[in-house]
Amino acid sequence: QHVLLPDGRHIRDYHQIVYPDYVTIVARNPAGEYALLYKYNHGYRRVCRIFPGGMRHPGESPRSAAIREFFEETGCRARRWRCLGHFRPHSNYGCGQVHFFLAEGCRQAAAPDSGDLEPMTVRWLSHEQLRRYMRGGRNPSLSCAAAFALACQVLGLPGVHSPAPRKSR
């Protein structure tokens, strides 16, 4: 790209990454457990545990994309949806936008049918199990970590680096 900076300088060969918008969903069932997908992610060249989500289709609203992706990947429906915000993954290169959502009151409605090349398994983790997983450094996804932090803030629950809740005696 040819870029004209605010100070009048020209950059003749600046590159940008064109990437579609996508959604990441932090989903909780009535027991307060979170849905994680265990699936192969080619960017990491291994099976990862990530939140449901995926690409937004042209003309599709972020919320509609979240509802569709969540149903395809988990077979679940949510009683309540909340937007946690949208962000650019990289401020210089763009890389589309990620839209974070919190889905609450999730219940199984059908068998998952994501259409992905690799099979995936849905597992439900307690809040503390998910905190330990995120804290343990095994989560490769910045989108998942950011979505979980935003959800914890909205829910008033301890996040990844919050002190562990004390057990009452």
Side-chain angles (χ1 to χ4, degrees), residues 1-123:
Q1 286 184 319
H2 177 238
V3 177
L4 175 61
L5 297 174
D7 67 5
R9 289 182 294 145
H10 292 267
I11 299 175
R12 301 210 182 281
D13 61 351
Y14 197 88
H15 64 278
Q16 186 171 28
I17 299 170
V18 178
Y19 195 74
D21 289 3
Y22 62 100
V23 295
T24 297
I25 302 120
V26 179
R28 288 174 37 127
N29 65 18
E33 298 169 319
Y34 298 84
L36 275 184
L37 302 177
Y38 287 57
K39 63 177 272 201
Y40 176 77
N41 278 75
H42 190 64
Y44 299 111
R45 309 288 195 282
R46 65 183 172 94
V47 173
C48 298
R49 295 182 235 180
I50 61 169
F51 288 129
M55 298 300 167
R56 186 175 134 196
H57 295 161
E60 185 178 36
S61 73
R63 180 184 165 102
S64 294
I67 292 168
R68 176 186 52 76
E69 285 288 345
F70 182 59
F71 183 72
E72 287 173 1
E73 292 184 343
T74 67
C76 292
R77 300 271 187 215
R79 179 182 50 78
R80 181 176 178 190
W81 285 88
R82 288 199 256 184
C83 177
L84 298 173
H86 58 274
F87 306 89
R88 291 238 177 247
H90 197 290
S91 61
N92 277 330
Y93 299 132
C95 303
Q97 282 193 2
V98 57
H99 300 266
F100 296 127
F101 286 90
L102 174 62
E104 296 177 281
C106 301
R107 295 188 187 278
Q108 200 70 42
D113 185 16
S114 70
D116 284 346
L117 297 175
E118 292 290 327
M120 63 182 77
T121 303
V122 180
R123 296 203 181 136

